[in-house]
Amino acid sequence: MKFRCERDLLVEALSTAGRAVTGRGGALPVLSGVKIDASNDRLEVTGSDLDLTIRTSVGVNIAESGTAVLPSRLLSDIVRSLDQGAVDLEVTGDEAQISSGRSQFAVRTLPVDDFPHLDEPSGDQVSVAADELASGLKQVVLAASSDDARPILTGVLMTAEEGGLRLVATDSYRLAVRDLPEATVLGEGQKVLVPSRALGELIRVLGHAKEVNVRLGERDVTFFVEPEDGVSVELTTRLIEGEFPNYRQLIPASYPNEMRVGREQLLDAVRRVKLMAREATPLRLTQRDGSLELMAVTQDVGQAHEEVDAVYSGTDELTVAFNPDFLIAGIEAATGDEVVLQTLDALKPAVMRSTEGSDYLYLLMPVRVS
Amino acid sequence: MYLHADLDAFYASVEQRDNPRLRGKPVIVGGGVVLAASYEAKRRGVKTAMGGRAARAVCPDAIVVPPRMDAYTTASKAVFSIFRETSPWVEGLSIDEAFLDVSGLRRLSGSPEQIAAHLRDRVRDEVGLAITVGVANTKFLAKVASGVGKPDGLLLVEPGYELAFLHPLTVERLWGVGPVTARKLNDRGLTTVAQVAQLDVGVLVGLLGKGQGQHLHALAHNLDPRPIRVGHRRGSIGSQRALGRMNPSRDESQVMLIGLVDRITRRMRRAERVGRTVVLRMRYDDFTKGTRSHTLDEATSETAPILASTRMLLNRAWPMLDERGLTMIGVSVTNLSNANAVQLTLPLGPRARPSVDSAFDEIRDKFGTNSLKRATHLGESQHSIMPMLPD
């Protein structure tokens, strides 16, 4: 195998594919490497941890086609360190030569035959607008759990909803729901549970593209992104098996208390008051006519107060406490100039919404204080 | 000025207090491992944590009694309430020792020495136990003084004479110097605190590493700026049980875990603390130690989830324990926060109701710890579980 490629393109191809590589390689040492295929004037780089596979592809001049597996991190670090310009890579026997200008590296390859063979998903291909999917995923992925002890909650539920696509995630403290009415990805009644880690990676590659093609298989789903120039990316992830909790029953039908407040104003105030919410102490929000009072008290450290103008209707005066980070995530995820906070009481789920449009909902559980 | 008050041979003294026939005789508490030895037994060479057989070998006429943890807990509580009446600044170190800050009490209660003497009288009259008190201008030196003053003594290090008191002592008296460090120092010909004090701090750091080198340098000059820490909340709540050479099976270990977890969660609920990380502590046959930990989804003080997590940790560790043996088992819950601020969760699935826990607690609070037992613990006496300071 022998080819020449621009450093910047090669760095992007290697680092994007390398994001699927788990550092240690685990039970299968070859998985600490990326597979490089060179043929028909295309270079393909594949990284995988068996759950998530990312394959990047870029047009280059191939002098000699071939396949090799090289240590992902090391190769990526080497290429990144080189000066801008052309990089030559040649594999002979079990050694790869990387050279650029007067720099030369020789890197031992990993056994190609050990690299797992990955099936292509079978289903039909549908396309979705990349920016719409990216904005929806950003609002939902943040509510997914990162705790592998509860695998179901590490996923984002994708479900067909009134002809569009609905994204749902919960870590049991928050629940985020976003509707993408224009996106017809799934058939009627179809639903899949996609690992949020894979979707986090997908968000990163959606930035440069107009469209993303989705192909759904029995056990996995592939997202295919092909920008007009540069590196195209194919991201395949295993689906999570199991029943996602019935999230509909978690959303209260109505809220007696509603507060409307400027989004930036609230965000700034929460960030300030949060400085005094140390050692997992919550932020207390007292809502009353015309204003919202934020307060944080940490024993032996100090306290902070701030009042924000707000339009409030409901119970005379209501105090609800929240984890400040969960609150900030919800305010950030809501769009528009104003947000609406709807509450039942100090112990029931509250909802953060945008005043513009009703396609996003962020539900969060309070902190019980005594 | 600081007081370091330390009950003498605590468990054994409680036994001698409650049973006149034991007085003046060598007494060992604990049949398997020696939990405590009376001064008569100590003089014959019996040491705490010694194996029972070895102890009987050096002191064949020792009287071995089983531990009565409830009695020790009661005695400790009585002594600590005397501490608190003596000074508002009490820092408990364990069930039988504490630091007291008596600065500024001169007009109210007299000189530090008078306060110490009065404290000793009260503990003897009201609880019936001997307590040694060291008095000095730092916590460290007060502890050294009580060590030198034992048993049943009062030792005041007069202000201005601190170094004169400290320097002739052997290096083992310095806090943090165990057998290994002592050997390192002795190998260099350093046997007294005075010799250590003469060394440059850099030399000590080179010999013992940065942390310990600086620590010993400071102590040898009686530099100990630490104040009394009052009301400091624990970072973890735990309980452990020494097993000697019983080599428990997996089932037996599980049963012991239930007992430990029951105890810990009850203490957590009483202290209004919840925790997220469960740690299983193990000591192997060769007396080396290891831990395994698991973090829960949600901070809790409920018995069921903490027990489930502990069991899972034990099951995972079992293949290794089968090989390396188990001589001590312990559980602690860390990552603690106040139960007065609990992040609520969405009702995603069925959840065990904590009402069983509170019923358990109420019955035990009203009728005593042993009034209610799990069936798996029937016929078992609750030995070898150390009583502890309040949380």
Side-chain angles (χ1 to χ4, degrees), chain B residues 2 32 39 63 77 96 105 129 156 209 221 231 234 251 275 305 341 343 356:
Chain B
Y2 297 99
Y39 274 90
I63 305 168
K77 279 183 183 152
D96 58 359
L105 296 179
L129 293 173
L156 165 74
H221 291 92
R234 286 168 183 273
D251 284 349
Q343 171 68 53
V356 178

Side-chain angles (χ1 to χ4, degrees), chain A residues 8-21:
Chain A
D8 290 352
L9 274 182
L10 192 55
V11 166
E12 196 184 332
L14 288 171
S15 58
T16 301
R19 294 191 61 88
V21 175

Side-chain angles (χ1 to χ4, degrees), chain A residues 162-177:
Chain A
E162 290 168 14
L165 177 68
R166 172 171 283 185
L167 307 170
V168 188
T170 178
D171 61 0
S172 83
Y173 308 124
R174 289 103 36 95
L175 170 79
V177 182

Side-chain angles (χ1 to χ4, degrees), chain B residues 125-176:
Chain B
D125 296 346
E126 294 170 31
V127 193
L129 293 173
I131 191 163
T132 299
V133 182
V135 188
N137 68 346
T138 63
K139 279 161 66 171
F140 152 68
L141 201 62
K143 189 166 164 72
V144 173
S146 75
V148 174
K150 269 183 177 297
D152 199 8
L154 193 172
L155 204 150
L156 165 74
V157 182
E158 294 273 3
Y161 295 88
E162 287 86 5
L163 296 184
F165 165 75
L166 185 60
H167 282 176
L169 300 175
T170 58
V171 290
E172 284 85 350
R173 291 284 185 189
L174 289 178
W175 181 44

Side-chain angles (χ1 to χ4, degrees), chain B residues 3 29-30 33 41 67 86 114 120 131-132 162 181 190 219 269 295-296 323 328 357 381:
Chain B
L3 265 50
V29 179
V33 179
T86 304
Q114 288 167 334
R120 279 170 36 77
I131 191 163
T132 299
E162 287 86 5
T181 311
L190 304 169
L219 291 189
R269 292 188 289 267
T295 298
L296 303 164
E323 217 166 86
M328 186 211 80
D357 287 339
S381 62

Side-chain angles (χ1 to χ4, degrees), chain B residues 6 17 65 78 142 156 179 255 339 347 357 369:
Chain B
D6 194 356
R17 175 194 73 182
V65 297
L156 165 74
V255 171
D357 287 339
T369 307

Side-chain angles (χ1 to χ4, degrees), chain A residues 147 150 172-173 363 365-370, chain B residues 297-298 340-348:
Chain A
D147 181 3
R150 297 169 87 181
S172 83
Y173 308 124
L363 183 128
M365 286 301 286
V367 173
R368 185 182 63 218
V369 290
S370 54
Chain B
D297 297 327
E298 188 182 6
N340 60 16
V342 180
Q343 171 68 53
L344 302 172
T345 55
L346 290 160
L348 297 179

Side-chain angles (χ1 to χ4, degrees), chain B residues 21 32 36 164 272 280 348:
Chain B
R21 281 178 302 171
E272 297 193 323
L280 177 70
L348 297 179

